[in-house]
Amino acid sequence: MMRIIVRWIGAILGVSLLFGGSVQAQSTPETYAVLSAPSPQDFPTLQPMLKVFSRAGRFVHGLSKSDIQLYENGIAVPLQAVKEQRVGVQVVFVLNPGVAFLVRDSQGNTRYDDLLNGLVDWARRRLGSTIDDLSILVTDGPSRSHLSNPLELFYTLASYRVSGDATPSLDSLIKGIEIAADPSPREGMERLVIFITAPLSGDQSLAIQNAVQQAQQAGVRIVVWLVSTAATTTPQAIDALRPLADETQGRLWVLNKPEDQPDPETILEPLRDVYLLQYVTSPAGGNERQLEAEVQIGDEVIRSQPVSFRIDLQPPNLVFLAPPAEIVREPPQTVSRIAEALQAFEPQSYHLSLLIEFPDGRPRSIVKLRAYVDQQLILEQLEPPFDRFVWNLQEYTQSGQHVLQAEIVDEFGMTAKTVPTPVLVKINRPLPAPSRMLSRNLLLVVLTFVSFTAAFLALVSVLRGQLVPTSQRLSRRLGMRKKQPLDPLTQPVPIPPLPPLRTGAYRSGEPRSSSPPSSKPPVLALLYRLGESTEGEPKGPFAMVTDVLPIGRNATQNLLVIDDPTVEGLHARLERQTDGKFRLYDLGSLMGTWVNYTPVSQEGVTVEDGDLIHIGRVGFRFHVRESSLQASLTQPRGEN
């Protein structure tokens, strides 16, 4: 009784499938649109692809700009162009044979023979066309990838025979999806897998779901041809494969007899065309963007699913190329008058160069250049070149440090600034000519000369006795000159010479020596100047022999004199503390004092043996004399 029931169920299914060999993949609307994300390489002009299909799966031709509206991040953007193009299909035929492939008809042909004959017949009709990218893959069999000749594709199967123990597997489908996802020869080509399979055995739901996810991520459609017979096809076998087509915008056919086999051309032809859209996006849209299309066909308005894409847009980088640390302005040698020299100081301008880089890899035009000195705008340039400018120096007549900065604006409205760069502008004023000074102060010079001459002559006359005071001359004439008794209290007393004094300290009870001690003071520390010494400066290290060492350019104020334009008259001070440590102080200098490339404030910083000291731009290596330091720490105090 059970056998009769099973046969009746099989007959009913066979009749239903006989009249409905094709099973639509999903309940789609009358028309639907598929939008692909644009490539960001051509920013700001973007070209997304659009495909519009009817419910029967046919491509909708003849659309124009007035029929399509794009929305980027929810804002309508005008289309510049709409162009219909024929790009072809990147299709992979995946044969997954099983026992159903070996079922023979009344003439002795197997189902596999019928499949192969239908595919070869399609290939002959496509002979000469190379628009499609074709691949074939057989489970446990031969494979060829990315061919353009359809006949060459199926010649691969000329020597292949289906084995009697062939078992269908989804592994070949996964490989087919990977081949379909390869880079296509033309942009916008549809990616398709035609999966020709025998009914699967066992529970394959997990493997099918993995295949669906992989196809969705790669944008691959899956068309399923289920090869079976009316007696062996079950609803469970169909439902197991349905998600492959339903969730990838594909289609499912059940082939119970050779007549059910569809023509591949009816599947591929609607997928060969595409609309190429073109619009200009705004840099203000951000990096993460979303795009969707609205299509109007007659009275029907359809909307595509939104697609997301990313535009990596970064502001440019801007840096000075070899900026000067110091600019010295001085009059030319041919100018002698001070007023004329102030007007003719050289240089009167300085040329600065800029390096412009685009870290996002999108070179673009610069539309504006600004230059600032001490945060004040001194120049705005709207015409190229934008990678250099001229700094006018005529208004700078006093020495001082200034902060220079440049700013650019690109065609996307993005700005970039250089880091603030300090530049010292130094003014070397001319000395007045001696003849001009003499002419201005001639009367004063003459009076001074006469006064000094008269005083000098008078002094000489007194010393030679030619000039005698009036009282003495009167006494001589009257004979009143008498010898006065000498007052012993007011007369000079001869004093014997003292023995040489000993300037050094001595210990209690130590016999005094008549010979003078050594006057050479102990060396507390050494300062080795980095680089070669300049002409006129002493060679070798500078020895610190006092507890306080003033440092600067003025020879009357400092013990360590440095002749360098970056050093102040009184620049810094190095002291030896009571605990034997050394401390360096900056005295408010312009170019600064540094220890190991760290700026030193007026509060000072402790300096240790081996530290690197910079006074302005002049560098020293500091070394403590250990013996002197130890001696200074252990030396007892002298007697009171």
Side-chain angles (χ1 to χ4, degrees):
M1 185 66 180
M2 286 298 297
R3 292 182 180 179
I4 297 174
I5 294 175
V6 171
R7 289 177 182 178
W8 274 105
I9 293 175
I12 294 172
L13 287 174
V15 171
S16 63
L17 293 175
L18 179 62
F19 290 98
S22 172
V23 180
Q24 186 66 33
Q26 56 188 357
S27 178
T28 58
E30 289 299 322
T31 54
Y32 66 98
V34 179
L35 184 67
S36 61
S39 172
Q41 297 301 322
D42 298 327
F43 181 91
T45 301
L46 301 182
Q47 293 183 329
M49 299 282 188
L50 177 67
K51 294 186 176 184
V52 183
F53 299 96
S54 66
R55 183 174 184 179
R58 300 180 182 277
F59 185 83
V60 178
H61 297 273
L63 298 179
S64 63
K65 287 194 298 183
S66 60
D67 301 321
I68 303 172
Q69 176 63 62
L70 284 181
Y71 294 88
E72 187 182 73
N73 294 339
I75 301 175
V77 292
L79 280 174
Q80 288 188 328
V82 174
K83 184 178 181 181
E84 186 175 339
Q85 291 184 340
R86 193 165 179 82
V87 294
V89 182
Q90 184 160 299
V91 58
V92 181
F93 293 89
V94 177
L95 273 67
N96 192 29
V99 177
F101 278 48
L102 299 175
V103 175
R104 297 181 181 272
D105 58 15
S106 59
Q107 298 179 357
N109 296 322
T110 64
R111 297 300 305 277
Y112 171 73
D113 295 333
D114 295 332
L115 284 170
L116 186 58
N117 291 334
L119 294 174
V120 171
D121 180 65
W122 167 79
R124 288 196 179 98
R125 286 184 281 114
R126 294 293 302 170
L127 192 61
S129 174
T130 59
I131 194 172
D132 297 324
D133 181 86
L134 307 170
S135 302
I136 191 168
L137 176 65
V138 181
T139 303
D140 299 329
S143 64
R144 296 288 300 276
S145 300
H146 305 301
L147 303 174
S148 58
N149 187 349
L151 282 178
E152 185 180 355
L153 181 73
F154 297 110
Y155 286 159
T156 306
L157 304 178
S159 60
Y160 174 72
R161 295 292 181 269
V162 179
S163 173
D165 57 353
T167 302
S169 170
L170 289 176
D171 293 340
S172 56
L173 175 61
I174 298 298
K175 294 179 182 178
I177 295 173
E178 294 174 355
I179 295 174
D182 287 344
S184 56
R186 286 172 296 279
E187 188 176 0
M189 294 183 71
E190 189 76 27
R191 304 176 188 275
L192 175 68
V193 171
I194 298 180
F195 184 45
I196 307 173
T197 181
L200 303 177
S201 59
D203 184 8
Q204 300 287 339
S205 58
L206 182 59
I208 288 176
Q209 191 59 39
N210 291 335
V212 168
Q213 292 178 358
Q214 185 171 343
Q216 289 174 340
Q217 293 174 0
V220 177
R221 294 173 183 256
I222 300 178
V223 172
V224 181
W225 291 3
L226 178 58
V227 179
S228 183
T229 63
T232 59
T233 301
T234 64
Q236 291 79 6
I238 298 174
D239 292 340
L241 296 170
R242 188 182 297 277
L244 293 173
D246 286 353
E247 300 180 27
T248 63
Q249 294 182 334
R251 195 169 180 180
L252 173 64
W253 273 269
V254 179
L255 313 183
N256 287 329
K257 54 185 181 299
E259 293 79 9
D260 294 335
Q261 180 175 334
D263 183 0
E265 190 66 16
T266 61
I267 301 172
L268 300 177
E269 175 58 26
L271 303 179
R272 292 191 177 108
D273 297 297
V274 67
Y275 286 104
L276 178 64
L277 312 181
Q278 181 175 302
Y279 76 101
V280 177
T281 186
S282 170
N287 288 349
E288 302 294 337
R289 308 193 180 202
Q290 196 173 68
L291 188 68
E292 55 186 327
E294 185 179 81
V295 182
Q296 183 168 3
I297 303 175
D299 296 334
E300 183 181 9
V301 177
I302 59 174
R303 205 176 184 101
S304 70
Q305 290 294 324
V307 292
S308 300
F309 62 101
R310 176 180 176 83
I311 296 179
D312 184 17
L313 195 61
Q314 302 177 28
N317 288 337
L318 183 66
V319 294
F320 279 115
L321 285 177
E326 179 182 270
I327 301 176
V328 179
R329 299 194 69 210
E330 54 189 3
Q333 297 180 355
T334 57
V335 178
S336 59
R337 299 182 62 182
I338 297 179
E340 296 177 356
L342 289 174
Q343 297 176 359
F345 269 23
E346 295 179 352
Q348 296 189 7
S349 61
Y350 196 93
H351 292 259
L352 292 152
S353 298
L354 299 167
L355 175 64
I356 304 174
E357 298 177 325
F358 298 96
D360 55 10
R362 302 179 190 279
R364 47 196 180 268
S365 300
I366 305 300
V367 298
K368 187 180 296 184
L369 168 65
R370 298 190 186 101
Y372 301 87
V373 175
D374 300 330
Q375 298 182 350
Q376 298 296 320
L377 180 67
I378 64 167
L379 178 144
E380 186 172 62
Q381 197 166 300
L382 302 178
E383 297 292 336
F386 297 106
D387 59 350
R388 55 188 178 273
F389 67 93
V390 179
W391 182 14
N392 186 4
L393 300 175
Q394 294 182 3
E395 61 180 282
Y396 301 99
T397 58
Q398 300 290 334
S399 297
Q401 189 170 24
H402 303 276
V403 178
L404 188 65
Q405 194 171 25
E407 179 186 34
I408 59 171
V409 181
D410 64 19
E411 62 178 306
F412 297 160
M414 293 188 166
T415 62
K417 286 186 177 182
T418 62
V419 296
T421 303
V423 179
L424 176 63
V425 178
K426 184 178 180 182
I427 307 298
N428 286 344
R429 293 182 175 275
L431 296 176
S435 60
R436 187 173 183 84
M437 292 181 61
L438 186 62
S439 64
R440 286 183 176 181
N441 304 283
L442 181 60
L443 179 60
L444 179 62
V445 171
V446 171
L447 292 176
T448 303
F449 177 75
V450 171
S451 300
F452 272 101
T453 302
F456 178 74
L457 292 176
L459 179 62
V460 170
S461 299
V462 170
L463 293 177
R464 296 182 62 181
Q466 296 178 358
L467 183 62
V468 181
T470 304
S471 59
Q472 292 186 15
R473 288 201 305 269
L474 183 60
S475 298
R476 288 176 183 177
R477 290 177 181 178
L478 296 177
M480 297 176 62
R481 186 177 181 183
K482 296 181 180 181
K483 186 175 181 181
Q484 300 294 331
L486 299 176
D487 188 353
L489 296 178
T490 61
Q491 301 304 307
V493 179
I495 300 174
L498 295 175
L501 295 177
R502 181 174 181 178
T503 59
Y506 61 91
R507 298 179 182 273
S508 177
E510 178 182 354
R512 298 179 181 267
S513 174
S514 59
S515 61
S518 174
S519 60
K520 185 176 182 181
V523 177
L524 304 178
L526 295 175
L527 290 167
Y528 291 84
R529 183 162 178 173
L530 304 180
E532 298 182 356
S533 300
T534 59
E535 184 177 355
E537 292 184 343
K539 309 293 183 178
F542 178 85
M544 179 179 176
V545 298
T546 60
D547 288 337
V548 179
L549 176 64
I551 304 170
R553 193 169 57 184
N554 193 324
T556 63
Q557 294 180 301
N558 302 279
L559 293 179
L560 176 52
V561 181
I562 304 173
D563 186 12
D564 189 89
T566 63
V567 179
E568 302 284 343
L570 186 58
H571 193 108
R573 184 175 71 252
L574 180 62
E575 292 185 2
R576 181 176 180 268
Q577 308 291 317
T578 57
D579 57 359
K581 296 182 179 180
F582 291 81
R583 194 168 184 86
L584 181 64
Y585 301 86
D586 182 82
L587 301 181
S589 64
L590 180 63
M591 298 304 291
T593 305
W594 313 77
V595 174
N596 298 329
Y597 302 103
T598 302
V600 177
S601 65
Q602 295 186 11
E603 285 78 17
V605 65
T606 301
V607 186
E608 298 181 354
D609 182 72
D611 282 350
L612 182 63
I613 298 176
H614 274 88
I615 308 298
R617 288 189 175 181
V618 181
F620 294 89
R621 182 66 70 180
F622 177 75
H623 287 290
V624 179
R625 292 294 297 270
E626 296 294 339
S627 58
S628 300
L629 177 61
Q630 187 66 24
S632 64
L633 292 175
T634 59
Q635 181 179 6
R637 297 181 179 178
E639 297 179 357
N640 294 329

